[in-house]
Amino acid sequence: MTTAEITTMHEEIRELARARDAVILAHNYQVPEVQDVADFVGDSLGLSHEAARTDAEAIAFCGVHFMAETAAILCPEKTVLIPDLDAGCSLAASITADQLRTWKAENPGAVVVSYVNTTAEVKAESDYCCTSGNAKAIIESIPEDTEILFLPDMYLGLWLEKVTGRTLRIWMGECHVHAGIRPADIQRWQDEAPDAELLVHPECGCASQCMAFGNGKTHILSTEGMIKFARKSPKERFLVATETGIIHRLNKEAPEKRFEAVSEKAICRYMKMITLEKLRDSLRDWKYVVTVPPEVAERARGAIDRMVAIV
Ligand code: 13P
Ligand code: SF4
């Protein structure tokens, strides 16, 4: 699309959002032109907070399906739209509610902490939900002598064990995008840019090894954590180990600094399914409405409420 076409489409979308009384939320991994038309761009936790606090009648969710489901559970009286129903998440697909029920039966008395990247049915079987932005605080809020089943991301789980000193039972799921960021990608960049700060998402396959660098220049952060860190830091150059969509947001928030993805291949095809055309059609044709069966939503709400309460 040309710049002029993007501007025209932005105007059309903003007009539809106004007429429909819809707020547009976009995740940090969305394509630049979708981020630029949104009312709010953020990480999973920030988007949940925005969904919970909006006065708008509807939420157009530019992200993946589990995020829209979480918004639908937090705001049962609002209409939640996702521009493409196929925008899923390979990590959320790595555990089903049946598998979790079996795991719980094998570990009676354990507390279940689920990463937000899970289906509503899995959340309904969970005691706590967390995001990368508050996972450490959630684990630390649970009494030391309580056994914890952590799911579904094994790398996030291993990182949590390191930073909390706790032993967790960890589900062996992974995100194909972050698991694909290899220690060799990090090493290559460390060799080429030894003075740069390294920002690493805890879902990365290399997160725990990166912590071991102990050089004061490696920071394991949620996507929004990376943005806050880069804004405040006096440093000028940053290597970024997460989905490449965040580079646009970082450039906008800290234009005087330099950001480079450690792997240009770290692209989430689900996040990239959302386009301006689909967002326009979504608002115009009122599709696709994301709903969660009330009995599932009721059971999932407790875990999600704990997630939004602990920052
Ligand atoms: P954040 O909550 O850090 O934005 O991460 C969401 C996600 O899907 C990471 O792959
Ligand atoms: Fe899911 Fe990975 Fe895409 Fe995040 S980057 S939405 S965890 S598939």
Side-chain angles (χ1 to χ4, degrees):
M1 274 178 124
T2 63
T3 312
E5 286 167 342
I6 290 174
T7 307
T8 307
M9 186 68 91
H10 278 181
E11 284 165 5
E12 197 180 342
I13 289 169
R14 291 306 329 164
E15 177 53 30
L16 281 164
R18 195 197 53 73
R20 295 292 209 166
D21 190 18
V23 65
I24 301 174
L25 305 184
H27 188 265
N28 288 321
Y29 298 160
Q30 290 292 294
V31 292
E33 60 272 23
V34 168
Q35 291 191 28
D36 292 346
V37 79
D39 293 289
F40 182 85
V41 185
D43 65 357
S44 309
L45 189 60
L47 296 176
S48 296
H49 282 298
E50 286 302 315
R53 83 164 64 112
T54 184
D55 292 330
E57 286 287 315
I59 299 168
F61 214 112
C62 300
V64 291
H65 193 264
F66 75 81
M67 296 180 178
E69 259 187 355
T70 305
I73 294 168
L74 280 166
C75 321
E77 74 294 350
K78 297 190 193 304
T79 303
V80 178
L81 302 168
I82 190 162
D84 189 329
L85 267 181
D86 289 332
C89 168
S90 59
L91 179 56
S94 71
I95 185 164
T96 64
D98 272 346
Q99 286 173 311
L100 177 51
R101 279 189 281 271
T102 305
W103 202 28
K104 280 165 63 172
E106 289 163 359
N107 295 279
V111 159
V112 177
V113 180
S114 292
Y115 192 34
V116 68
N117 298 42
T118 43
T119 62
E121 287 79 12
V122 166
K123 289 186 179 78
E125 292 292 333
S126 306
D127 300 296
Y128 293 81
C129 196
C130 70
T131 73
S132 54
N134 67 0
K136 180 171 175 279
I138 298 261
I139 297 293
E140 284 170 346
S141 76
I142 299 169
E144 294 254 357
D145 55 354
T146 307
E147 185 165 36
I148 298 175
L149 304 183
F150 183 82
L151 66 108
D153 190 83
M154 64 172 144
Y155 298 115
L156 178 61
L158 290 169
W159 172 72
L160 284 169
E161 283 194 327
K162 284 225 162 94
V163 292
T164 63
R166 302 272 292 257
T167 302
L168 310 174
R169 289 191 185 272
I170 301 170
W171 189 259
M172 291 288 118
E174 62 175 29
C175 153
H176 68 293
V177 179
H178 288 87
I181 300 177
R182 309 304 309 162
D185 293 317
I186 308 283
Q187 193 52 53
R188 186 169 59 87
W189 275 108
Q190 292 250 302
D191 296 343
E192 289 173 25
D195 292 335
E197 299 288 298
L198 179 62
L199 311 181
V200 181
H201 195 279
E203 280 176 33
C204 285
C206 55
S208 296
Q209 288 109 305
C210 285
M211 273 183 72
F213 290 164
N215 57 7
K217 288 194 202 138
T218 305
H219 313 278
I220 317 286
L221 296 160
S222 73
T223 58
E224 201 60 26
M226 290 181 184
I227 287 149
K228 285 189 189 131
F229 181 89
R231 256 205 241 114
K232 275 206 210 134
S233 169
K235 300 289 170 51
E236 279 173 8
R237 190 171 180 191
F238 301 83
L239 308 181
V240 184
T242 191
E243 213 272 356
T244 57
I246 196 166
I247 301 290
H248 176 70
R249 177 93 199 283
L250 285 163
N251 282 331
K252 262 179 110 168
E253 298 282 344
E256 70 292 359
K257 298 181 182 178
R258 179 173 168 193
F259 302 100
E260 291 147 278
V262 296
S263 170
E264 291 296 342
K265 286 192 243 151
I267 295 172
C268 175
R269 67 187 177 89
Y270 303 109
M271 286 281 181
K272 293 335 191 214
M273 284 178 183
I274 310 297
T275 62
L276 283 183
E277 288 89 345
K278 289 182 198 171
L279 173 57
R280 187 261 325 266
D281 295 352
S282 173
L283 286 163
R284 187 190 58 202
D285 303 336
W286 217 233
K287 65 180 187 186
Y288 299 90
V289 177
V290 177
T291 54
V292 178
E295 65 284 4
V296 175
E298 195 48 52
R299 291 176 53 226
R301 196 167 290 120
I304 295 173
D305 283 347
R306 287 186 191 116
M307 173 182 90
V308 287
I310 298 180
V311 184

